[in-house]
Amino acid sequence: MDSFAERAPAKLPVNQNVAARLGLQALTLLAVGQFVRQIRRQATRPDPRETAPHLTRTGLILCATGTLFAALREIPLAEATATFFIGPFILSVPGAFSLEEAVSWRRILASAIGFPGAMPVIWSGFAAFGSLALLPLATALCLTPYMALTRQIARRMPRVAQ
């Protein structure tokens, strides 16, 4: 997906690229959800109280996809990907505290090695591309709460309804 976004024609606006990608994904998931619902014969609609978290997740993934696709217009795929892959390091902290997840010594060690290892790529990207290098960082900052919300919702809802 990222490489297709990078190679999208320059005249194709980022918002159309994002809409096409997420629209096709939504249609595919609706079809799969309908199929699974028929198999299970159970209602899989979200509880109305879950509307706010779902709308928040929608906004976060739109923001993440948009900032990534905008970045890929100007920044090589490797640099953009290396920058937004710091998201899992960022997620470990809220995962340990707000989500009450067990954070093993392996994850701590991986974060302690991986995050500083990503920093030279981020700094060199910022030096080479200026403020455009903040776009993949914005992607990571949008994906982190998106993943945290997804984990919270997954504890309360059937997977098909998510």
Side-chain angles (χ1 to χ4, degrees):
M1 174 191 70
D2 298 340
S3 63
F4 286 121
E6 182 182 37
R7 287 170 179 69
K11 62 184 175 183
L12 181 66
V14 170
N15 61 346
Q16 287 182 0
N17 200 349
V18 171
R21 187 254 187 216
L22 295 177
L24 287 173
Q25 178 182 349
L27 289 174
T28 302
L29 290 175
L30 284 172
V32 169
Q34 185 66 26
F35 176 72
V36 171
R37 187 178 307 137
Q38 288 175 354
I39 290 173
R40 290 187 176 180
R41 303 266 189 236
Q42 68 178 3
T44 56
R45 292 188 180 187
D47 187 307
R49 294 172 292 189
E50 296 289 337
T51 302
H54 281 289
L55 289 176
T56 303
R57 283 178 62 224
T58 300
L60 288 167
I61 198 65
L62 281 170
C63 177
T65 305
T67 55
L68 178 61
F69 284 8
L72 291 174
R73 298 256 171 158
E74 306 294 331
I75 300 173
L77 180 62
E79 281 81 6
T81 303
T83 302
F84 84 79
F85 273 160
I86 67 165
F89 304 134
I90 298 170
L91 185 60
S92 294
V93 174
F97 296 106
S98 67
L99 299 176
E100 299 174 1
E101 293 181 350
V103 179
S104 70
W105 66 269
R106 289 180 185 98
R107 187 182 295 182
I108 293 169
L109 181 62
S111 295
I113 294 170
F115 188 75
M119 292 311 292
V121 175
I122 294 169
W123 288 121
S124 67
F126 192 72
F129 302 105
S131 60
L132 288 173
L134 295 175
L135 290 170
L137 188 58
T139 301
L141 293 175
C142 290
L143 282 178
T144 300
Y146 170 82
M147 290 185 283
L149 271 172
T150 301
R151 288 180 182 182
Q152 287 176 346
I153 291 169
R155 293 179 181 165
R156 299 187 302 262
M157 297 180 68
R159 291 194 186 267
V160 175
Q162 296 173 23

